[in-house]
Amino acid sequence: PIESDIESKTDLAGKVLATQEQSASLEAILADEELVKTLGSDPVTYATFVEVFSDLNNKRVDAIVVDETLASYFLEQNDSAGDYRILEDNFGEEEYGVGFRKSDDSFVEEFNTTLAKIIEDGKFDEIKAKWFTAIEAEEE
Protein backbone atom coordinates (compact mmCIF):
# COMPACT_ATOMS: atom_id res chain seq x y z
CA PRO A 1 0.00 0.00 0.00
CA ILE A 2 1.02 3.58 -0.66
CA GLU A 3 2.35 5.24 2.50
CA SER A 4 3.64 8.46 0.96
CA ASP A 5 2.19 11.93 1.24
CA ILE A 6 3.83 12.92 -2.07
CA GLU A 7 1.09 13.72 -4.56
CA SER A 8 2.79 16.31 -6.81
CA LYS A 9 6.23 17.66 -7.68
CA THR A 10 5.83 20.41 -5.09
CA ASP A 11 5.53 17.74 -2.38
CA LEU A 12 9.10 16.66 -3.20
CA ALA A 13 10.46 19.69 -1.32
CA GLY A 14 12.88 18.49 1.34
CA LYS A 15 12.61 14.88 0.19
CA VAL A 16 15.32 12.48 -0.99
CA LEU A 17 14.86 11.72 -4.68
CA ALA A 18 16.60 8.92 -6.62
CA THR A 19 17.14 7.90 -10.23
CA GLN A 20 19.60 6.08 -12.46
CA GLU A 21 22.99 7.72 -12.99
CA GLN A 22 23.69 9.18 -16.44
CA SER A 23 20.01 8.80 -17.43
CA ALA A 24 17.49 11.06 -19.12
CA SER A 25 15.64 10.99 -15.79
CA LEU A 26 18.60 12.55 -14.01
CA GLU A 27 18.91 15.18 -16.74
CA ALA A 28 15.20 15.96 -16.35
CA ILE A 29 15.53 16.39 -12.58
CA LEU A 30 18.55 18.68 -12.90
CA ALA A 31 16.84 20.72 -15.63
CA ASP A 32 14.00 21.56 -13.21
CA GLU A 33 15.84 24.33 -11.35
CA GLU A 34 12.91 25.11 -9.07
CA LEU A 35 12.69 21.47 -7.95
CA VAL A 36 16.46 21.18 -7.40
CA LYS A 37 16.36 24.24 -5.11
CA THR A 38 13.68 22.67 -2.92
CA LEU A 39 15.05 19.12 -2.62
CA GLY A 40 16.53 18.09 0.69
CA SER A 41 19.73 16.95 -1.07
CA ASP A 42 21.21 16.20 -4.47
CA PRO A 43 19.41 13.35 -6.24
CA VAL A 44 20.75 9.92 -5.24
CA THR A 45 21.87 7.93 -8.26
CA TYR A 46 22.31 4.22 -8.86
CA ALA A 47 23.83 2.16 -11.66
CA THR A 48 20.50 0.50 -12.52
CA PHE A 49 16.80 1.21 -12.20
CA VAL A 50 16.41 -2.06 -10.27
CA GLU A 51 18.55 -0.48 -7.52
CA VAL A 52 16.45 2.70 -7.74
CA PHE A 53 13.25 0.73 -7.09
CA SER A 54 14.98 -1.31 -4.40
CA ASP A 55 15.94 1.75 -2.37
CA LEU A 56 12.42 3.14 -2.66
CA ASN A 57 11.07 -0.21 -1.42
CA ASN A 58 13.55 -0.16 1.46
CA LYS A 59 12.59 3.45 2.33
CA ARG A 60 16.13 4.80 1.85
CA VAL A 61 14.68 7.39 -0.56
CA ASP A 62 11.32 9.15 -0.56
CA ALA A 63 10.62 9.11 -4.31
CA ILE A 64 12.13 8.08 -7.62
CA VAL A 65 12.11 9.49 -11.14
CA VAL A 66 12.05 6.90 -13.92
CA ASP A 67 10.67 6.61 -17.43
CA GLU A 68 6.92 5.94 -17.15
CA THR A 69 7.03 3.12 -19.69
CA LEU A 70 9.83 1.42 -17.77
CA ALA A 71 8.05 1.96 -14.46
CA SER A 72 4.77 0.55 -15.78
CA TYR A 73 6.50 -2.52 -17.18
CA PHE A 74 8.59 -3.07 -14.03
CA LEU A 75 5.60 -2.76 -11.72
CA GLU A 76 3.44 -5.00 -13.90
CA GLN A 77 6.14 -7.68 -14.06
CA ASN A 78 6.61 -7.54 -10.28
CA ASP A 79 2.87 -7.48 -9.57
CA SER A 80 3.33 -4.35 -7.47
CA ALA A 81 1.36 -1.65 -9.29
CA GLY A 82 -0.85 -1.04 -6.27
CA ASP A 83 2.18 -0.38 -4.09
CA TYR A 84 3.14 2.86 -5.86
CA ARG A 85 1.69 6.22 -6.75
CA ILE A 86 2.66 7.60 -10.16
CA LEU A 87 2.30 11.37 -10.18
CA GLU A 88 0.34 13.26 -12.81
CA ASP A 89 3.26 15.73 -12.98
CA ASN A 90 5.97 14.79 -15.40
CA PHE A 91 9.54 15.74 -16.06
CA GLY A 92 9.23 16.09 -19.84
CA GLU A 93 8.60 14.12 -22.97
CA GLU A 94 11.02 11.92 -24.89
CA GLU A 95 10.94 10.52 -28.38
CA TYR A 96 11.95 6.96 -29.14
CA GLY A 97 13.37 5.56 -32.32
CA VAL A 98 14.47 2.30 -33.88
CA GLY A 99 18.02 2.03 -35.23
CA PHE A 100 19.09 0.05 -38.26
CA ARG A 101 22.37 -0.47 -40.10
CA LYS A 102 22.66 1.86 -43.08
CA SER A 103 22.92 -1.18 -45.35
CA ASP A 104 19.49 -2.53 -44.28
CA ASP A 105 17.39 -0.45 -46.71
CA SER A 106 15.01 -3.27 -47.64
CA PHE A 107 14.50 -4.24 -44.00
CA VAL A 108 13.80 -0.60 -43.04
CA GLU A 109 11.20 -0.40 -45.80
CA GLU A 110 9.59 -3.67 -44.66
CA PHE A 111 9.65 -2.51 -41.03
CA ASN A 112 8.03 0.84 -41.86
CA THR A 113 5.34 -0.82 -43.99
CA THR A 114 4.55 -3.34 -41.26
CA LEU A 115 4.52 -0.66 -38.55
CA ALA A 116 2.11 1.50 -40.57
CA LYS A 117 -0.13 -1.54 -41.12
CA ILE A 118 -0.34 -2.54 -37.45
CA ILE A 119 -1.00 1.07 -36.42
CA GLU A 120 -3.84 1.27 -38.94
CA ASP A 121 -5.46 -2.08 -38.05
CA GLY A 122 -5.21 -1.56 -34.26
CA LYS A 123 -2.67 -4.32 -33.55
CA PHE A 124 -0.14 -1.69 -32.36
CA ASP A 125 -2.53 -0.52 -29.62
CA GLU A 126 -3.19 -4.15 -28.67
CA ILE A 127 0.54 -4.83 -28.28
CA LYS A 128 1.05 -1.56 -26.40
CA ALA A 129 -1.77 -2.40 -23.97
CA LYS A 130 -0.30 -5.84 -23.31
CA TRP A 131 3.31 -4.80 -22.70
CA PHE A 132 3.08 -1.16 -21.61
CA THR A 133 0.05 -1.14 -19.38
CA ALA A 134 -0.74 2.18 -17.74
CA ILE A 135 -0.49 1.76 -13.98
CA GLU A 136 -3.30 3.05 -11.87
CA ALA A 137 -2.11 2.60 -8.30
CA GLU A 138 -4.70 1.91 -5.66
CA GLU A 139 -5.10 4.61 -3.05
CA GLU A 140 -5.35 3.62 0.62
Side-chain angles (χ1 to χ4, degrees):
I2 298 167
E3 298 174 13
S4 173
D5 60 350
I6 300 171
E7 295 186 14
S8 71
K9 281 170 93 173
T10 57
D11 295 332
L12 294 171
K15 304 290 185 185
V16 179
L17 191 59
T19 194
Q20 184 175 342
E21 60 193 28
Q22 300 179 0
S23 67
S25 299
L26 178 59
E27 288 178 19
I29 294 168
L30 298 177
D32 190 332
E33 294 176 15
E34 187 174 323
L35 174 66
V36 171
K37 287 180 195 174
T38 65
L39 288 176
S41 61
D42 289 338
V44 178
T45 59
Y46 299 94
T48 68
F49 279 118
V50 172
E51 293 169 286
V52 172
F53 276 98
S54 177
D55 263 17
L56 181 63
N57 286 337
N58 292 314
K59 300 182 180 176
R60 288 188 286 262
V61 298
D62 299 307
I64 62 174
V65 176
V66 299
D67 179 271
E68 185 176 2
T69 303
L70 171 98
S72 296
Y73 181 77
F74 182 88
L75 296 175
E76 189 71 27
Q77 294 304 305
N78 290 288
D79 197 30
S80 56
D83 297 338
Y84 295 87
R85 176 182 300 125
I86 296 178
L87 303 182
E88 295 283 328
D89 301 341
N90 75 47
F91 286 83
E93 302 285 326
E94 286 187 312
E95 293 186 19
Y96 293 88
V98 179
F100 300 93
R101 288 183 298 272
K102 287 185 177 186
S103 61
D104 286 341
D105 292 338
S106 62
F107 183 63
V108 170
E109 188 175 321
E110 183 180 343
F111 177 88
N112 286 334
T113 299
T114 303
L115 181 60
K117 180 182 176 205
I118 67 169
I119 288 172
E120 186 176 318
D121 72 12
K123 187 70 174 174
F124 180 85
D125 289 333
E126 207 176 294
I127 294 167
K128 182 179 172 187
K130 178 178 180 178
W131 295 104
F132 303 104
T133 308
I135 301 299
E136 295 191 26
E138 298 173 15
E139 294 292 325
E140 286 185 9

